[in-house]
Amino acid sequence: MRPTRQRLALARLLFEPGHRHVTAEALHGEALAAGVKVSLATIYNTLHQLTTVGLLREIVIDTGKTYFDTNVDDHHHFFLERTGRLIDIPGADVALGALPAAPDGLKIARVDVIIRLSDS
Amino acid sequence: MRPTRQRLALARLLFEPGHRHVTAEALHGEALAAGVKVSLATIYNTLHQLTTVGLLREIVIDTGKTYFDTNVDDHHHFFLERTGRLIDIPGADVALGALPAAPDGLKIARVDVIIRLSDS
DNA sequence: ATACTTGCAAATCGTTTGCAATACC
DNA sequence: GGTATTGCAAACGATTTGCAAGTAT
């Protein structure tokens, strides 16, 4: 994985501000706003590569849009339904008791807990 | 909501076999296989209407594809990553301890627990 | 008769892909 | 130079929409 101009710029945008959640579109917007010339295709490439390498985690919350989380530790999420925003919940803050055993030849790859929030 | 031919046929396909998870495409296929002439547009209409009415529940597990669950009780899911299949987990089988409080003016609408399974 | 439904085909949205031009080592 | 990477534009798959024709009450 070569440290190209666009990869470096994207990495800076992603990891400098601390933990965050981005969509490809949003990151693309930020890049352009920051004066970084990148194509959307490259954004997707990079996000997936970083995910493969373990620097990002993909979160499925909403159909039709993929979120990438710069926090790859064990943790969960609040999802604000009205705004589409995500908030991290430290893994320790959600007590999961014994989980049902996985069927036959399968193993638990990950447990996602999503707490969906609406206006009260 | 009128009991039209296609709505009745779809309701039968959905609710007669016991609890299940379907995608619009899959239901469309079944309908055609069962000799029921329905357009995909109507499938989507009907699935959404049934969801609004509370007879179905929408599950987000996978980007780019929406699952509808005929089980609307409190429960969670196993997701078989290799096949894309869903398996219900009774709500009681997952012990959730105290959850972090929802921020300011927000309330918990729902808690989704998804246990992702891969081949072991 | 009137309002609700259907179905087609076109449109949309996020994402992916093919491929030639380009940047990295 | 050789290989990885970029960017464009076209291709995609799932879902939605506009609208004319059909159907329930």
Side-chain angles (χ1 to χ4, degrees):
Chain A
M1 200 162 164
R2 294 175 179 169
T4 65
R5 194 190 88 254
Q6 25 281 79
R7 291 220 258 248
L8 289 171
L10 292 180
R12 198 164 301 123
L13 285 172
L14 283 170
F15 300 111
E16 264 180 1
H19 285 156
R20 48 187 318 220
H21 306 97
V22 259
T23 61
E25 292 280 357
L27 183 58
H28 190 217
E30 282 182 34
L32 297 185
V36 180
K37 245 183 64 62
V38 217
S39 72
L40 199 44
T42 298
I43 298 275
Y44 279 107
N45 282 343
T46 306
L47 287 174
H48 286 140
Q49 287 157 174
L50 291 174
T51 301
T52 305
V53 172
L55 287 172
L56 288 179
R57 168 170 153 186
E58 216 173 316
I59 309 174
V60 182
I61 291 269
D62 210 329
T63 355
K65 135 167 340 189
T66 306
Y67 288 82
F68 292 87
D69 192 342
T70 60
N71 181 356
V72 292
D73 296 340
D74 170 46
H75 70 287
H76 302 295
H77 296 96
F78 278 129
F79 177 60
L80 313 205
E81 298 191 322
R82 202 169 53 70
T83 62
R85 226 164 70 75
L86 278 173
I87 299 174
D88 279 357
I89 303 173
D93 288 14
V94 175
L96 279 172
L99 296 171
D104 52 308
L106 300 170
K107 68 166 201 295
I108 295 180
R110 191 165 102 194
V111 179
D112 287 338
V113 177
I114 296 155
I115 304 183
R116 295 178 185 271
L117 302 174
S118 55
D119 303 303
S120 48
Chain B
M1 199 160 165
R2 291 178 181 167
T4 65
R5 194 189 86 253
Q6 25 281 80
R7 290 220 259 248
L8 289 171
L10 292 179
R12 198 164 303 124
L13 285 173
L14 282 170
F15 300 112
E16 263 179 4
H19 286 157
R20 48 187 318 220
H21 307 97
V22 257
T23 61
E25 291 281 357
L27 183 58
H28 190 217
E30 283 182 34
L32 297 185
V36 180
K37 249 183 56 74
V38 218
S39 71
L40 199 46
T42 298
I43 299 274
Y44 279 107
N45 282 341
T46 305
L47 287 173
H48 285 139
Q49 288 157 173
L50 291 175
T51 301
T52 305
V53 172
L55 289 172
L56 289 179
R57 168 170 153 187
E58 217 172 316
I59 309 175
V60 182
I61 291 267
D62 210 332
T63 357
K65 137 167 338 192
T66 307
Y67 289 82
F68 292 87
D69 192 342
T70 60
N71 181 357
V72 292
D73 296 339
D74 170 46
H75 70 286
H76 302 294
H77 296 96
F78 278 129
F79 178 60
L80 312 205
E81 298 191 322
R82 202 169 53 69
T83 61
R85 226 165 67 75
L86 278 172
I87 298 174
D88 279 357
I89 302 173
D93 288 13
V94 175
L96 279 171
L99 295 170
D104 51 308
L106 299 170
K107 69 164 200 295
I108 295 180
R110 191 165 104 192
V111 179
D112 288 338
V113 177
I114 296 154
I115 304 183
R116 294 176 188 271
L117 302 175
S118 55
D119 302 304
S120 49

